Amino acid sequence: MIGVVAATASGRTAAAALAAAWPGEVRVLTGDRPADALREAWRTCDAVVSFLAVGATVRVLAPLLGHKTADPAVVCVDESARFAVAVLGGHHGANLLAGRLTGVLGTQPVITTASDGANVPALDSYGRDLGFTIDNPELLARVGAAVLSGEPVLLEGADGWPLPALPPNVSPDARDAAVGILVSDAADPARGGREDFGGARLVYRPPSLVVGVGSARGVTAAEVGALIDSTLAEAGLAPASVRCVATIDLKADEQGILDAARDRGWEVVTHPAEDLAAVDVPNPSDVVRAEVGTPSVAEASALHAARSLGRAAELVAAKRKTANATCAVARLTPRGRLSIVGLGPGARDLLTPRAEEALRRAAVIVGLDQYVDQIRDLVRPGTRVLENGLGQEEERARAAVEAAARGNAVALIGSGDAGVYAMASPALEFADADIDVDGVPGITAALAASNLLGAPLGHDHAYISLSDLHTPWEVIERRVRAAAEGDFTVCFYNPRSRARDWQLAAVVKILAEHRPPETPVGFVRNATRPDQTASLTTLADLDPSDVDMFTVVLVGSSRSRAVAGRFVTPRGYRWA
């Protein structure tokens, strides 16, 4: 819940706007004593938006401060709603909240955290979205200062996790490093990294372990818990890296297992016997098979759950048992992450915030060289960039998928929306289930062109590419005839090039058989870019030589018309 505190009329108006924009998320606190409202918001909410001066807000909240990981995030907005200042908990929600306020109030986020200013991931949130926790947060300031200062920092254990890029001075090959960053599920950090490193390590605990448990009916939580703890300890594994407890579905209501997991803050997942029976384990039991339908519960549950959560699994603690319980531990190999990102039509202010975040979140960016140039200033130091030229779409798609398959966080970029005549479909043809895929929508060239021309897409419409590089002309022609006969407004991509200079004239001729000559036709070149041009003509007067590969052409339906110099396709509303 976001507590919103306002003391003035303009503040209350802005608070009401937030409540309307974010229903169910906002609690507005007003009254004669803003300080009391601010304290109440601090006490009861996860984040606070204060329409008070920064100084006044800080004076009220200073006595209440605890630790940044537990305190609410606080953002202050000035009286004229020009700025949203992340005051407290920048890396714990305030920076993101300041950015969200822009979409509702039009404020400019003011971010002062050092890592954001240097375009470097914040160490206190590094891997948080993957479930990482920090074993020794007291080292955050020391290691963070070394990262930002360009000092050598040893990086260990991060390979295979889809983490954002760290700057080049943070490396597995860093020499003479006094500090390091270690990603490990080993209870003793010295076991998880290089033995010859004598510096201080900031240790991250990844959620890499699955504890498999089997039991007799009526087992106690104390027995299950003690067995889990001793199994982890004997294997030298950190409880903080346990992702969940897994067991057979027959034990879904076994209170001893449920309570032991709950006491340790772990989820319980269950699987049917037939799934567990298919898992190859080192210690099968015919007795267990006869009783529950699978020769293994603990080992099979751990391996099966770990494999379902990652792209591979290995048993790191074989079955141990007590009188009434069994326990085993598996380690998962995490899946890589492929974000397929649409950059929009070209203008930076039409690049979505989600796309910007995906670019900053990536360790590898793959794209056409001219598209990489558009966003090069957003690429974080240390990010690997794979770029090539036109005609190499398959190579880019394969490179992105292969990088993600190795466990990397990859952003595959394309113009407009990556799912519209762009890189999403070739990449997804190659990607298997061992990669997590995230599609990041973008504003298409067609939508940008439509808005520049008026409202040509106000009713049913069709998109057709005139490029016959991958689609036979006979198929394209058949689709154009179908769209013409169906009286769709038609948006043509790839309308004309030096090598393909006759297709647009051919489709105009087809459309002219089904449209009056005064049907509006709009064409936009380099929509939203500095050299954009937008023209409105008619079907009879269109000159194909005015069009090239950087142009989108929109041909109206029989109901489309020009109104005050704007291209309009009526929606068909009937007004009373």
Side-chain angles (χ1 to χ4, degrees):
M1 182 64 67
I2 301 171
V4 179
V5 178
T8 66
S10 62
R12 287 189 287 271
T13 299
L18 293 179
W22 302 336
E25 285 189 77
V26 171
R27 179 188 175 197
V28 178
L29 298 97
T30 58
D32 296 332
R33 296 178 60 84
D36 290 342
L38 192 56
R39 294 186 189 99
E40 175 69 8
W42 176 272
R43 185 180 65 82
T44 60
C45 298
D46 304 307
V48 178
V49 176
S50 173
F51 288 93
L52 304 171
V54 171
T57 300
V58 170
R59 278 193 293 273
V60 172
L61 296 181
L64 307 179
L65 293 178
H67 193 275
K68 63 181 180 180
T69 60
D71 290 343
V74 178
V75 175
C76 287
V77 179
D78 66 296
E79 179 70 9
S80 59
R82 290 179 59 203
F83 302 105
V85 185
V87 176
L88 295 171
H91 293 148
H92 297 272
N95 291 351
L96 290 175
L97 181 56
R100 287 187 69 192
L101 290 169
T102 300
V104 180
L105 304 179
T107 48
Q108 178 179 337
V110 178
I111 309 298
T112 60
T113 41
S115 57
D116 294 275
N119 200 17
V120 170
L123 293 188
D124 53 0
S125 57
Y126 184 64
R128 183 188 295 163
D129 59 342
L130 300 175
F132 281 27
T133 58
I134 303 174
D135 198 54
N136 48 352
E138 66 276 7
L139 285 180
L140 275 169
R142 179 181 173 187
V143 177
V147 171
L148 292 173
S149 300
E151 299 172 19
V153 177
L154 180 65
L155 179 63
E156 302 170 282
D159 282 351
W161 286 94
L163 290 159
L166 290 169
N169 59 302
V170 184
S171 165
D173 304 317
R175 297 180 179 275
D176 303 320
V179 295
I181 293 172
L182 173 66
V183 178
S184 175
D185 57 24
D188 180 1
R191 287 184 53 201
R194 263 175 31 190
E195 294 182 0
D196 61 342
F197 178 68
R201 287 185 173 99
L202 177 62
V203 179
Y204 291 89
R205 298 301 189 188
S208 54
L209 303 176
V210 175
V211 175
V213 174
S215 77
R217 182 59 69 183
V219 68
T220 66
E223 183 175 352
V224 174
L227 178 58
I228 291 174
D229 294 344
S230 63
T231 300
L232 290 170
E234 185 171 296
L237 299 170
S241 282
V242 173
R243 183 160 183 163
C244 63
V245 170
T247 189
I248 192 169
D249 58 3
L250 294 174
K251 297 295 179 180
D253 61 348
E254 189 64 59
Q255 203 60 46
I257 295 176
L258 298 176
D259 289 347
R262 184 200 60 217
D263 292 345
R264 289 157 179 78
W266 301 332
E267 177 189 9
V268 176
V269 299
T270 63
H271 300 282
E274 55 266 31
D275 290 349
L276 301 183
V279 179
D280 186 28
V281 297
N283 299 293
S285 167
D286 290 334
V287 173
V288 174
R289 185 201 304 271
E291 187 170 339
V292 297
T294 172
S296 170
V297 173
E299 290 179 338
S301 293
L303 285 166
H304 184 70
R307 179 62 184 85
S308 67
L309 292 167
R311 55 191 166 99
E314 62 172 328
L315 199 66
V316 290
K319 180 174 67 176
R320 299 178 75 247
K321 57 185 179 180
T322 59
N324 297 294
T326 57
C327 179
V329 183
R331 176 185 290 131
L332 63 87
T333 301
R335 288 192 286 265
R337 176 182 294 183
L338 175 61
S339 294
I340 305 176
V341 183
L343 300 181
R348 176 54 62 87
D349 60 353
L350 294 181
L351 176 68
T352 67
R354 186 179 297 182
E356 287 197 35
E357 177 58 28
L359 295 172
R360 291 194 173 100
R361 178 63 181 73
V364 181
I365 292 177
V366 182
L368 180 68
D369 47 14
Q370 58 187 278
Y371 298 152
V372 171
D373 286 341
Q374 287 180 222
I375 50 87
R376 206 175 291 275
D377 61 304
L378 299 176
V379 177
R380 278 181 158 158
T383 303
R384 187 157 57 100
V385 178
L386 306 177
E387 54 186 305
N388 56 22
L390 287 168
Q392 297 178 283
E393 288 77 15
E394 180 179 345
E395 290 87 342
R396 289 196 294 278
R398 287 190 182 276
V401 170
E402 288 169 2
R406 291 191 292 271
N408 292 297
V410 181
L412 175 61
I413 63 173
S415 67
D417 182 276
V420 179
Y421 298 123
M423 294 304 300
S425 55
L428 294 181
E429 285 187 274
F430 300 136
D432 61 22
D434 287 337
I435 296 173
D436 290 328
V437 177
D438 174 35
V440 181
I443 297 172
T444 64
L447 292 177
S450 174
N451 281 276
L452 289 167
L453 293 168
L457 304 180
H459 211 302
D460 296 338
H461 53 275
Y463 291 175
I464 299 176
S465 170
L466 296 187
S467 172
D468 57 0
L469 291 176
H470 304 292
T471 306
W473 175 250
E474 294 76 15
V475 174
I476 295 172
E477 185 177 26
R478 187 165 65 247
R479 291 171 179 171
V480 172
R481 289 191 181 279
E485 292 170 2
D487 200 21
F488 289 93
T489 295
V490 186
C491 175
F492 291 110
Y493 275 68
N494 307 312
R496 188 173 182 272
S497 70
R498 291 178 183 175
R500 295 184 298 100
D501 59 359
W502 58 270
Q503 285 92 337
L504 181 58
V507 301
V508 167
K509 184 177 180 180
I510 294 171
L511 290 166
E513 297 172 6
H514 302 271
R515 306 276 197 280
E518 65 272 15
T519 298
V521 176
F523 56 96
V524 178
R525 187 179 190 276
N526 283 337
T528 79
R529 298 172 188 260
D531 59 343
Q532 77 172 19
T533 58
S535 303
L536 183 60
T537 184
T538 65
L539 196 59
D541 294 334
L542 175 64
D543 183 355
S545 66
D546 292 333
V547 172
D548 62 14
M549 278 291 289
F550 301 101
T551 307
V552 173
V553 178
L554 294 103
V555 180
S557 70
S558 63
R559 301 184 62 208
S560 301
R561 59 183 185 268
V563 180
R566 302 181 186 93
F567 187 164
V568 179
T569 300
R571 182 69 182 90
Y573 292 115
R574 295 184 180 275
W575 311 110

